[in-house]
Amino acid sequence: MTEINVADQAKKAQQASKPLSILSTKEKNETLLIIAEELEQNYAFILEENEKDLALGREKQYDQAYMDRLLLTKERVFEFANGLKELVKLDDPVGEVVTEWTLDNGLHVKNQRVPLGVIGMIYEARPNVTVDATGIALKSGNAIILKGGSSALHSNKAIISIIHKALEKTSISVEAVQFIASTDREATEQLFTLKQYIDVLIPRGGGSLIETVVRKATIPVLETGVGNVHMYVDKHADLEKALAIITNAKTDRPAVCNALETVLIHREWFAKNKDTLISMFKELSITVHGDQEVLQAVPGAIEASEKDWAEEYLSLDLALKLVDDVEEAIYHIEQYGTKHSEAIITEDAQVAEQFLNQVDAAAVYHNASTRFTDGSALGYGAEIGISTQKLHARGPMGLPALTTTKLKISGSGQVR
């Protein structure tokens, strides 16, 4: 096997980013449609290669949640191809004038959106990210260098080969989309330090991956976080709403980062509604983890350790804790939350406002499922990840998050 030169790939991406940054919206949109068409036409090849990854996953006994993220079907391939078509409909942020003014001395100042340049994307077992990230990068005028997890290597290589085939028919260079086809950890770590070529790193995956990138990178990192998602059921919560929202947030897609992991319930509400709630847990095959108080009240519950309160289960396991009031719920979230998505169920507007104002997270909800923390669901059209940090971008990162601004200043000979 030929040794992969990551620095050379990053350099080629940087060179390709220059002409890409000034392409018209029309040219970028045409490119996305051509890529979508190629993916649809070659879905069978993608599925063949994906089966190789699934076979290795079965051999290594990956858990069900992991295998679900790895799995591709014809419907899923067409779904991410359709995602590219949806991107075409979105406004191009490049060139947007954010603010504009004229100084007393006659200088005209225009603050305008421009691409970041080269994006480094590091992610785990989600082959769809290869398409999503490429599409969002190209639409926002950026080149991208992708490093997917070894468990999806065959799937990703297949997808990249189809993207490159499509790019050959467009005005965008094939070099604008680089893929590090290596399972070598050194190749990944080399990517962390190529600041001269790469403008930003975006890690998307489990906590250990994100922590490693943040700790080792010399390139600015747009941190996408783990989702230890909480829901506080207040004493003034409507039973029907609470049951429906908990069900959706926990069971719609348990393996995603905006799925519910911990329920904090007011003791008065629990005492009144525990039979109905326990019956629902049983019907949905939810395994409850809790302290001694919960163990006594919920048949079949498992004793929670300190780890459970911080756990992103990504399964039908659920941590449950009883609290006295909203202040105790907020304190628990401060201790164990990951600043992703947090929710309150209550008919008390004042308590809801207190929760929404005091909880520190990228997305906070009142009487709604946390499953809406998603670029397409919130009207962004697409996302490259969900940022849980506070600088540059926070929450679902759509097209504008992959741009920065440039001051364009015009004068008539002014000197200072």
Side-chain angles (χ1 to χ4, degrees):
M1 181 177 169
T2 308
E3 190 177 339
I4 289 172
N5 188 327
V6 179
D8 186 52
Q9 287 186 271
K11 185 177 181 181
K12 287 175 181 176
Q14 186 185 59
Q15 290 166 345
S17 73
K18 304 305 179 184
L20 173 56
S21 69
I22 56 172
L23 277 189
S24 69
T25 302
K26 183 174 182 287
E27 287 172 300
K28 290 185 287 188
N29 284 343
E30 285 172 352
T31 297
L32 295 180
L33 292 175
I34 290 169
I35 295 172
E37 185 181 356
E38 288 288 343
L39 288 167
E40 289 174 349
Q41 288 179 356
N42 292 279
Y43 79 88
F45 169 58
I46 296 172
L47 299 188
E48 281 173 20
E49 295 302 298
N50 179 242
E51 179 51 40
K52 295 177 184 177
D53 292 327
L54 293 172
L56 285 170
R58 288 189 289 270
E59 191 179 305
K60 294 183 178 181
Q61 297 183 320
Y62 293 145
D63 63 38
Q64 188 178 344
Y66 197 93
M67 290 295 284
D68 179 62
R69 293 196 295 274
L70 190 58
L71 173 68
L72 292 179
T73 61
K74 180 180 178 181
E75 290 73 26
R76 287 188 178 184
V77 173
F78 274 67
E79 193 176 288
F80 56 62
N82 191 58
L84 296 178
K85 297 174 190 177
E86 291 299 315
L87 271 175
V88 169
K89 300 174 187 176
L90 299 180
D91 292 337
D92 185 349
V94 178
E96 176 196 343
V97 176
V98 180
T99 51
E100 193 172 8
W101 65 96
T102 302
L103 299 172
D104 292 342
N105 61 11
L107 280 178
H108 183 73
V109 185
K110 187 162 61 175
N111 194 21
Q112 199 165 22
R113 287 198 182 277
V114 296
L116 288 169
V118 179
I119 295 160
M121 187 82 192
I122 304 164
Y123 52 106
E124 294 179 323
R126 294 181 190 267
N128 63 295
V129 173
T130 305
V131 177
D132 296 345
T134 297
I136 295 169
L138 296 181
K139 174 82 179 201
S140 55
N142 295 286
I144 190 163
I145 180 163
L146 299 147
K147 176 64 180 75
S150 58
S151 60
L153 185 61
H154 293 96
S155 307
N156 286 331
K157 285 171 71 174
I159 291 168
I160 288 294
S161 70
I162 292 164
I163 289 172
H164 283 170
K165 182 181 174 184
L167 289 177
E168 287 171 358
K169 303 175 183 179
T170 75
S171 50
I172 295 178
S173 169
V174 169
E175 307 287 12
V177 180
Q178 297 285 335
F179 179 72
I180 301 172
S182 170
T183 57
D184 188 353
R185 185 171 290 180
E186 284 184 22
T188 308
E189 297 201 356
Q190 190 183 352
L191 183 66
F192 297 166
T193 59
L194 296 172
K195 194 174 181 179
Q196 68 270 44
Y197 304 123
I198 300 171
D199 295 279
V200 66
L201 281 179
I202 303 176
R204 186 168 169 178
S208 60
L209 169 72
I210 295 163
E211 186 186 331
T212 299
V213 175
V214 170
R215 183 164 36 89
K216 294 188 174 183
T218 59
I219 303 168
V221 176
L222 265 173
E223 187 176 343
T224 65
V226 172
N228 182 20
V229 174
H230 297 79
M231 190 169 289
Y232 169 54
V233 181
D234 183 51
K235 70 176 176 180
H236 297 297
D238 176 84
L239 175 61
E240 194 174 324
K241 281 182 193 173
L243 297 179
I245 292 168
I246 291 169
T247 297
N248 178 257
K250 185 64 212 172
T251 68
D252 179 52
R253 280 196 72 188
V256 294
C257 62
N258 57 26
L260 177 63
E261 303 293 12
T262 299
V263 180
L264 306 168
I265 304 179
H266 195 288
R267 281 188 172 83
E268 285 183 32
W269 191 94
F270 183 76
K272 196 191 315 179
N273 300 295
K274 67 178 180 180
D275 291 342
T276 308
L277 186 68
I278 291 166
S279 176
M280 182 191 79
F281 287 152
K282 186 177 180 182
E283 187 181 328
L284 297 172
S285 301
I286 289 172
T287 302
V288 172
H289 299 250
D291 56 20
Q292 286 301 319
E293 186 177 13
V294 170
L295 293 182
Q296 289 173 15
V298 181
I302 297 170
E303 185 172 3
S305 65
E306 183 68 13
K307 184 187 174 194
D308 283 282
W309 305 123
E311 189 74 11
E312 185 186 31
Y313 291 114
L314 303 175
S315 66
L316 287 176
D317 289 80
L318 183 73
L320 193 156
K321 186 177 179 64
L322 304 184
V323 296
D324 285 327
D325 50 35
V326 66
E327 284 82 8
E328 189 179 349
I330 291 169
Y331 178 72
H332 182 95
I333 292 168
E334 281 176 358
Q335 280 189 294
Y336 299 104
T338 53
K339 304 185 190 303
H340 192 293
S341 303
E342 313 289 5
I344 181 171
I345 313 299
T346 186
E347 298 306 304
D348 186 325
Q350 191 173 340
V351 171
E353 195 62 22
Q354 181 182 353
F355 184 94
L356 296 177
N357 288 337
Q358 292 183 10
V359 169
D360 182 10
V364 286
Y365 291 83
H366 173 212
N367 288 349
S369 170
T370 55
R371 286 284 290 115
F372 289 100
T373 309
D374 178 90
S376 56
L378 289 177
Y380 291 79
E383 68 171 51
I384 200 165
I386 297 169
S387 169
T388 54
Q389 63 182 36
K390 297 181 182 180
L391 295 179
H392 180 73
R394 196 179 194 195
M397 294 186 290
L399 294 169
L402 297 191
T403 65
T404 183
T405 57
K406 176 192 284 187
L407 292 174
K408 294 184 177 179
I409 305 160
S410 302
S412 54
Q414 288 90 335
V415 294
R416 181 177 179 182

